[in-house]
Amino acid sequence: MNKYVVLLRGINVGGKNKVKMADLRTELIKEGFDTVQTYIQSGNIVVESNLVSETITQKVATLLTQKFTLDTTSLKILTLNKESYESVIAEAPENYGRVDQTVDYRYDVLFLIDITAEDAMKEVETRGGIDQSWCGTNVIYYRRPGPTHPDYTKSALSRLAKKDIYQSMTVRNWKTTTRLWEMIQT
């Protein structure tokens, strides 16, 4: 059995496309997935399976549309095997996500779906001295001011949501990203 991280885009966002993770977990087990774990309500799943990533993505997509009432226009699924997910952790910039008690920053990972990191980086804006981004193999790392930072409202990341390319990514904070890494290893 292999372990996979499955990231759902477009569920439980702004009160739309509500899917209870307990219900999803139950349906995935009925569908034959082993050791199904979910993390928080934003579509983070770890499963064990003998299937390949593409087949898992297809099965989860079919299950979501058959068992839940969803607007599928923004729904996308990204399935990463353990080796692919490990590269997300390994490629992070040095000290990425390390908490600095003097400066409040948020660290995000933009997981890319059906687009290359190079193409996505062309659309990802940063504001000099406020934001910073780094290109990984299949993700983009993005540091922005946190809520107590004086430049909190000046981040360029919010502009990304207005671009078409935003439909080709799903964003997780570094804490969630590393928690999923812990889950896939156990």
Side-chain angles (χ1 to χ4, degrees), residues 117-159:
E118 293 78 23
D119 287 341
M121 277 299 282
K122 294 173 189 171
E123 299 283 332
V124 173
E125 297 176 43
T126 59
R127 189 166 276 171
I130 295 174
D131 301 318
Q132 197 167 358
S133 65
W134 300 264
C135 188
T137 301
N138 297 303
V139 300
I140 295 172
Y141 305 92
Y142 199 98
R143 189 196 76 189
R144 60 192 168 98
T148 63
H149 193 286
D151 293 328
Y152 177 59
T153 60
K154 297 177 183 174
S155 174
L157 186 61
S158 60
R159 293 182 198 163

Side-chain angles (χ1 to χ4, degrees), residues 32-47:
F33 289 103
D34 293 315
T35 317
V36 177
Q37 299 173 282
T38 58
Y39 178 67
I40 61 176
Q41 287 294 113
S42 57
N44 305 298
I45 309 162
V46 174
V47 299

Side-chain angles (χ1 to χ4, degrees), residues 70-129:
L70 302 172
D71 173 3
T72 58
T73 55
S74 64
L75 180 65
K76 289 198 178 182
I77 301 159
L78 179 63
T79 304
L80 299 168
N81 63 29
K82 187 175 181 179
E83 293 77 24
S84 297
Y85 202 83
E86 182 176 22
S87 73
V88 171
I89 301 298
E91 292 177 359
E94 188 175 345
N95 297 323
Y96 196 73
R98 183 187 298 185
V99 176
D100 179 343
Q101 300 299 326
T102 61
V103 183
D104 181 17
Y105 284 110
R106 295 295 180 248
Y107 296 86
D108 296 309
V109 180
L110 288 61
F111 287 89
L112 306 173
I113 306 167
D114 300 327
I115 188 170
T116 67
E118 293 78 23
D119 287 341
M121 277 299 282
K122 294 173 189 171
E123 299 283 332
V124 173
E125 297 176 43
T126 59
R127 189 166 276 171

